[in-house]
Amino acid sequence: MKAVSQFSQSRRLRALDLARFKAEGRKIIALTAYHAHTASILDAHCDFILVGDSLGMVMHGMESTLPVTLEMMIVHAQAVMRGTSRALVVVDLPFGSYEASPEQAFLNAARVIKETGAGAIKMEGGARFAETVAFLVQRGIPVMGHIGLTPQAVNTMGGFRVQGRSAEGERMLLEDAVAISRAGAFGIVMEGIVEPVARAIATSRDVTAPTIGIGASAHCDGQILVLEDMLGLSERMPKFVKSYGSLRAHIEEAVTAYAEEVRDGRFPAQEHTYQTMSD
Ligand code: KIV
């Protein structure tokens, strides 16, 4: 692990670099990470790493992201910061930590930035949170928006549902994207949005913030996936995930071999055993 202070940000990408990448027509690369060792592998390849509140489901076995606390986000973000030195680290504000008022959002976002050294926060929600986005940005906190399928709204959406399938849905999504872009968001995650609507948003002149797709087609300015999904570690895979690995099968195979070798005495072998004081 690199011995880099979590606060030495001089070589790190910053929130506003994403606008430059969009202007240059360079796709923005992002993945989630929740701990130091995986983050250290992603660091050279990703423009930003998201410490997503999906960690509640992926790491802690929760049924939704709703029980995730600010303290959990901070602990995981500190680990990701320790493992990285180049990528921008963006941290999700969890359910209940920002919705009550712009002041509540600022206090909790400031705590995340102070205690982790991360470069930005992400908040779910569209037009109704535009005022909060502007409030944070004006006070020095870069904000990434998140629209479409917003997992923290699972109970009001009636499940994890793809968005933009009706004319009204399309109108509202475009309104959401325009509102938070105008409020100063430096990027917008678009999750689970049908292709024609995603394209309309990503190519709209009124949406200047770079769009980052997850299940929102190739028209976005960049893409993000949950690391454990694309590595083939997760049990359930949504349609939009491409499997770039089969970690679950590899772990299963390795653990089975280990258990067998311990059981029949093949592990530890001589080479794993200390023989003398100088070993
Ligand atoms: O929490 C998360 O991992 C996210 C991504 C799915 C974008 O918000």
Side-chain angles (χ1 to χ4, degrees):
M1 205 59 57
K2 291 174 219 80
V4 176
S5 157
Q6 61 177 349
F7 297 106
S8 59
Q9 298 228 0
S10 52
R11 284 172 295 122
R12 276 190 195 273
L13 292 169
R14 292 174 191 274
L16 292 182
D17 287 318
L18 267 52
R20 181 166 54 82
F21 298 155
K22 176 179 166 114
E24 291 168 356
R26 188 193 128 176
K27 288 279 186 186
I28 297 163
I29 320 291
L31 284 167
T32 61
Y34 316 124
H35 29 54
H37 53 67
T38 47
S40 74
I41 302 169
L42 271 45
D43 197 30
H45 306 281
C46 290
D47 299 312
F48 76 89
I49 295 175
L50 174 69
V51 185
D53 63 351
S54 52
L55 63 83
M57 299 170 80
V58 177
M59 299 285 300
H60 295 269
M62 294 169 172
E63 285 196 358
S64 76
T65 57
L66 299 180
V68 173
T69 63
L70 197 65
E71 285 68 27
M72 289 167 73
M73 297 307 302
I74 288 173
V75 168
H76 284 281
Q78 287 169 336
V80 168
M81 286 298 290
R82 283 186 211 109
T84 58
S85 60
R86 178 192 161 273
L88 167 70
V89 174
V90 181
V91 184
D92 255 340
L93 286 188
F95 178 67
S97 70
Y98 62 96
E99 301 90 332
S101 66
E103 287 79 7
Q104 182 209 23
F106 177 75
L107 291 174
N108 286 323
R111 189 174 158 208
V112 168
I113 302 289
K114 275 173 184 280
E115 293 183 25
T116 68
I121 60 96
K122 176 167 83 59
M123 265 173 27
E124 291 184 11
R128 71 188 191 288
F129 287 114
E131 185 195 348
T132 304
V133 172
F135 192 87
L136 266 57
V137 174
Q138 284 157 14
R139 285 159 182 76
I141 299 184
V143 179
M144 176 167 271
H146 183 157
I147 63 168
L149 193 170
T150 45
Q152 291 176 14
V154 59
N155 289 330
T156 45
M157 279 188 315
F160 296 112
R161 292 182 195 286
V162 174
Q163 302 291 301
R165 290 200 153 128
S166 66
E168 175 64 358
E170 171 169 4
R171 190 191 58 73
M172 283 168 63
L173 283 170
L174 188 57
E175 202 176 286
D176 282 341
V178 171
I180 53 176
S181 179
R182 286 194 178 142
F186 73 93
I188 304 174
V189 168
M190 305 212 298
E191 179 167 355
I193 298 178
V194 295
E195 182 172 26
V197 180
R199 183 178 53 224
I201 296 172
T203 57
S204 165
R205 281 217 214 112
D206 295 323
V207 180
T208 53
T211 51
I212 313 296
I214 174 161
S217 86
H219 297 285
C220 298
D221 300 302
Q223 296 291 327
I224 185 165
L225 285 175
V226 169
L227 181 67
E228 285 72 1
D229 288 351
M230 60 86 81
L231 290 179
L233 188 58
S234 306
E235 272 177 295
R236 279 172 299 173
M237 297 279 256
K239 172 187 165 83
F240 61 77
V241 178
K242 177 171 175 183
S243 190
Y244 288 86
S246 42
L247 223 53
R248 200 172 180 84
H250 282 305
I251 293 174
E252 184 71 45
E253 203 181 313
V255 174
T256 305
Y258 168 75
E260 275 174 18
E261 292 193 11
V262 171
R263 213 172 283 123
D264 66 20
R266 274 181 294 153
F267 178 82
Q270 283 301 301
E271 66 263 35
H272 312 116
T273 307
Y274 296 109
Q275 303 292 348
T276 68
M277 293 294 283
S278 61
D279 268 352

